[in-house]
mmCIF file of all heavy atoms in Angstrom:
data_model
loop_
_atom_site.group_PDB
_atom_site.id
_atom_site.type_symbol
_atom_site.label_atom_id
_atom_site.label_comp_id
_atom_site.label_asym_id
_atom_site.label_seq_id
_atom_site.Cartn_x
_atom_site.Cartn_y
_atom_site.Cartn_z
ATOM 1 N N GLY A 1 65.445 24.446 34.540
ATOM 2 C CA GLY A 1 65.824 25.586 35.396
ATOM 3 C C GLY A 1 67.283 25.880 35.350
ATOM 4 O O GLY A 1 68.129 25.026 34.975
ATOM 5 N N ALA A 2 67.644 27.097 35.706
ATOM 6 C CA ALA A 2 69.032 27.537 35.691
ATOM 7 C C ALA A 2 69.806 26.926 36.905
ATOM 8 O O ALA A 2 69.141 26.443 37.848
ATOM 9 C CB ALA A 2 69.133 29.021 35.731
ATOM 10 N N ALA A 3 71.072 26.970 36.858
ATOM 11 C CA ALA A 3 71.948 26.596 37.985
ATOM 12 C C ALA A 3 72.878 27.752 38.265
ATOM 13 O O ALA A 3 73.092 28.598 37.413
ATOM 14 C CB ALA A 3 72.724 25.304 37.688
ATOM 15 N N GLY A 4 73.416 27.789 39.461
ATOM 16 C CA GLY A 4 74.304 28.896 39.740
ATOM 17 C C GLY A 4 75.087 28.768 41.048
ATOM 18 O O GLY A 4 74.931 27.810 41.774
ATOM 19 N N THR A 5 75.884 29.823 41.299
ATOM 20 C CA THR A 5 76.687 29.931 42.532
ATOM 21 C C THR A 5 76.360 31.217 43.263
ATOM 22 O O THR A 5 76.089 32.262 42.587
ATOM 23 C CB THR A 5 78.161 29.869 42.246
ATOM 24 O OG1 THR A 5 78.545 31.002 41.442
ATOM 25 C CG2 THR A 5 78.589 28.599 41.517
ATOM 26 N N LEU A 6 76.368 31.142 44.575
ATOM 27 C CA LEU A 6 76.073 32.292 45.425
ATOM 28 C C LEU A 6 77.197 32.391 46.472
ATOM 29 O O LEU A 6 77.537 31.367 47.070
ATOM 30 C CB LEU A 6 74.720 32.180 46.145
ATOM 31 C CG LEU A 6 73.497 31.873 45.269
ATOM 32 C CD1 LEU A 6 72.316 31.519 46.156
ATOM 33 C CD2 LEU A 6 73.151 33.031 44.331
ATOM 34 N N GLU A 7 77.740 33.579 46.689
ATOM 35 C CA GLU A 7 78.772 33.775 47.710
ATOM 36 C C GLU A 7 78.564 35.015 48.470
ATOM 37 O O GLU A 7 78.076 36.027 47.889
ATOM 38 C CB GLU A 7 80.181 33.836 47.022
ATOM 39 C CG GLU A 7 80.930 32.589 46.846
ATOM 40 C CD GLU A 7 82.335 32.822 46.385
ATOM 41 O OE1 GLU A 7 82.479 33.214 45.208
ATOM 42 O OE2 GLU A 7 83.277 32.687 47.136
ATOM 43 N N ALA A 8 79.001 35.048 49.730
ATOM 44 C CA ALA A 8 78.996 36.286 50.498
ATOM 45 C C ALA A 8 80.060 36.269 51.539
ATOM 46 O O ALA A 8 80.390 35.230 52.103
ATOM 47 C CB ALA A 8 77.645 36.502 51.216
ATOM 48 N N SER A 9 80.670 37.413 51.780
ATOM 49 C CA SER A 9 81.667 37.585 52.841
ATOM 50 C C SER A 9 81.526 38.968 53.453
ATOM 51 O O SER A 9 81.320 39.946 52.751
ATOM 52 C CB SER A 9 83.076 37.372 52.300
ATOM 53 O OG SER A 9 84.063 37.703 53.290
ATOM 54 N N ARG A 10 81.665 39.036 54.799
ATOM 55 C CA ARG A 10 81.708 40.320 55.464
ATOM 56 C C ARG A 10 83.136 40.691 55.894
ATOM 57 O O ARG A 10 83.369 41.719 56.464
ATOM 58 C CB ARG A 10 80.785 40.339 56.633
ATOM 59 C CG ARG A 10 81.120 39.325 57.776
ATOM 60 C CD ARG A 10 80.027 39.254 58.797
ATOM 61 N NE ARG A 10 80.402 38.267 59.825
ATOM 62 C CZ ARG A 10 79.527 37.879 60.806
ATOM 63 N NH1 ARG A 10 78.331 38.308 60.835
ATOM 64 N NH2 ARG A 10 79.946 37.021 61.703
ATOM 65 N N THR A 11 84.111 39.776 55.659
ATOM 66 C CA THR A 11 85.497 39.978 56.146
ATOM 67 C C THR A 11 86.487 40.104 54.990
ATOM 68 O O THR A 11 87.658 40.157 55.215
ATOM 69 C CB THR A 11 85.917 38.787 57.039
ATOM 70 O OG1 THR A 11 85.742 37.593 56.281
ATOM 71 C CG2 THR A 11 85.117 38.760 58.311
ATOM 72 N N ILE A 12 85.976 40.200 53.782
ATOM 73 C CA ILE A 12 86.872 40.189 52.622
ATOM 74 C C ILE A 12 87.583 41.555 52.523
ATOM 75 O O ILE A 12 87.040 42.583 52.944
ATOM 76 C CB ILE A 12 86.042 39.918 51.338
ATOM 77 C CG1 ILE A 12 86.958 39.386 50.239
ATOM 78 C CG2 ILE A 12 85.280 41.161 50.906
ATOM 79 C CD1 ILE A 12 86.215 38.666 49.151
ATOM 80 N N VAL A 13 88.787 41.537 52.014
ATOM 81 C CA VAL A 13 89.593 42.748 51.815
ATOM 82 C C VAL A 13 89.540 43.093 50.322
ATOM 83 O O VAL A 13 89.887 42.289 49.481
ATOM 84 C CB VAL A 13 91.032 42.591 52.286
ATOM 85 C CG1 VAL A 13 91.865 43.819 51.977
ATOM 86 C CG2 VAL A 13 91.072 42.283 53.794
ATOM 87 N N GLY A 14 89.169 44.321 50.037
ATOM 88 C CA GLY A 14 89.094 44.755 48.622
ATOM 89 C C GLY A 14 87.712 45.299 48.344
ATOM 90 O O GLY A 14 87.475 46.505 48.393
ATOM 91 N N PRO A 15 86.751 44.420 48.043
ATOM 92 C CA PRO A 15 85.389 44.951 47.777
ATOM 93 C C PRO A 15 84.820 45.626 49.023
ATOM 94 O O PRO A 15 85.065 45.220 50.124
ATOM 95 C CB PRO A 15 84.583 43.672 47.444
ATOM 96 C CG PRO A 15 85.605 42.672 47.015
ATOM 97 C CD PRO A 15 86.829 43.006 47.801
ATOM 98 N N GLN A 16 84.034 46.739 48.790
ATOM 99 C CA GLN A 16 83.443 47.445 49.923
ATOM 100 C C GLN A 16 81.972 47.156 50.033
ATOM 101 O O GLN A 16 81.434 46.948 51.131
ATOM 102 C CB GLN A 16 83.718 48.940 49.757
ATOM 103 C CG GLN A 16 85.170 49.281 49.723
ATOM 104 C CD GLN A 16 85.899 48.902 50.984
ATOM 105 O OE1 GLN A 16 85.544 49.324 52.089
ATOM 106 N NE2 GLN A 16 86.911 48.079 50.862
ATOM 107 N N CYS A 17 81.292 47.191 48.910
ATOM 108 C CA CYS A 17 79.859 46.844 48.880
ATOM 109 C C CYS A 17 79.605 46.162 47.542
ATOM 110 O O CYS A 17 78.810 46.568 46.703
ATOM 111 C CB CYS A 17 78.990 48.098 49.043
ATOM 112 S SG CYS A 17 77.267 47.708 49.463
ATOM 113 N N GLY A 18 80.279 45.033 47.303
ATOM 114 C CA GLY A 18 80.314 44.384 46.041
ATOM 115 C C GLY A 18 79.221 43.372 45.840
ATOM 116 O O GLY A 18 79.460 42.141 45.851
ATOM 117 N N LEU A 19 78.010 43.880 45.677
ATOM 118 C CA LEU A 19 76.856 43.052 45.319
ATOM 119 C C LEU A 19 76.785 42.919 43.842
ATOM 120 O O LEU A 19 76.544 43.902 43.122
ATOM 121 C CB LEU A 19 75.542 43.652 45.873
ATOM 122 C CG LEU A 19 74.269 42.924 45.490
ATOM 123 C CD1 LEU A 19 74.255 41.480 45.963
ATOM 124 C CD2 LEU A 19 73.081 43.693 46.087
ATOM 125 N N VAL A 20 76.984 41.671 43.342
ATOM 126 C CA VAL A 20 77.132 41.483 41.907
ATOM 127 C C VAL A 20 76.160 40.364 41.458
ATOM 128 O O VAL A 20 76.007 39.370 42.162
ATOM 129 C CB VAL A 20 78.590 41.047 41.523
ATOM 130 C CG1 VAL A 20 78.703 40.799 40.010
ATOM 131 C CG2 VAL A 20 79.580 42.077 41.977
ATOM 132 N N ILE A 21 75.478 40.573 40.369
ATOM 133 C CA ILE A 21 74.663 39.516 39.756
ATOM 134 C C ILE A 21 75.085 39.368 38.290
ATOM 135 O O ILE A 21 75.199 40.361 37.559
ATOM 136 C CB ILE A 21 73.162 39.855 39.899
ATOM 137 C CG1 ILE A 21 72.328 38.750 39.213
ATOM 138 C CG2 ILE A 21 72.830 41.164 39.369
ATOM 139 C CD1 ILE A 21 70.835 38.880 39.412
ATOM 140 N N GLU A 22 75.362 38.129 37.889
ATOM 141 C CA GLU A 22 75.734 37.827 36.558
ATOM 142 C C GLU A 22 74.778 36.787 35.994
ATOM 143 O O GLU A 22 74.551 35.747 36.627
ATOM 144 C CB GLU A 22 77.144 37.241 36.444
ATOM 145 C CG GLU A 22 78.256 38.213 36.924
ATOM 146 C CD GLU A 22 79.614 37.546 36.933
ATOM 147 O OE1 GLU A 22 79.760 36.405 36.461
ATOM 148 O OE2 GLU A 22 80.597 38.243 37.363
ATOM 149 N N LEU A 23 74.200 37.020 34.827
ATOM 150 C CA LEU A 23 73.262 36.127 34.197
ATOM 151 C C LEU A 23 73.791 35.688 32.843
ATOM 152 O O LEU A 23 74.243 36.541 32.087
ATOM 153 C CB LEU A 23 71.897 36.801 34.004
ATOM 154 C CG LEU A 23 71.205 37.391 35.260
ATOM 155 C CD1 LEU A 23 69.853 37.980 34.872
ATOM 156 C CD2 LEU A 23 71.046 36.367 36.324
ATOM 157 N N TYR A 24 73.652 34.433 32.565
ATOM 158 C CA TYR A 24 74.121 33.867 31.280
ATOM 159 C C TYR A 24 72.971 33.086 30.660
ATOM 160 O O TYR A 24 72.466 32.166 31.290
ATOM 161 C CB TYR A 24 75.386 33.037 31.429
ATOM 162 C CG TYR A 24 76.529 33.787 32.066
ATOM 163 C CD1 TYR A 24 76.686 33.818 33.445
ATOM 164 C CD2 TYR A 24 77.354 34.573 31.278
ATOM 165 C CE1 TYR A 24 77.714 34.530 34.040
ATOM 166 C CE2 TYR A 24 78.380 35.325 31.863
ATOM 167 C CZ TYR A 24 78.548 35.282 33.217
ATOM 168 O OH TYR A 24 79.586 36.021 33.799
ATOM 169 N N GLY A 25 72.622 33.448 29.420
ATOM 170 C CA GLY A 25 71.529 32.773 28.771
ATOM 171 C C GLY A 25 71.920 32.215 27.405
ATOM 172 O O GLY A 25 73.084 32.418 26.937
ATOM 173 N N THR A 26 70.999 31.580 26.760
ATOM 174 C CA THR A 26 71.301 30.958 25.440
ATOM 175 C C THR A 26 71.471 32.002 24.333
ATOM 176 O O THR A 26 72.092 31.719 23.296
ATOM 177 C CB THR A 26 70.160 29.991 25.060
ATOM 178 O OG1 THR A 26 68.887 30.692 25.106
ATOM 179 C CG2 THR A 26 70.084 28.776 25.963
#
């Protein structure tokens, strides 16, 4: 199985609606 990191903030300065998904494969 894959491994990964997940983060969220509602108080961050800069991003407004920065929902990002990055996938890395072989």
Side-chain angles (χ1 to χ4, degrees):
T5 62
L6 309 170
E7 269 188 287
S9 174
R10 64 189 180 189
T11 55
I12 202 160
V13 175
Q16 300 301 301
C17 195
L19 175 58
V20 180
I21 178 173
E22 298 176 4
L23 305 181
Y24 301 93
T26 54

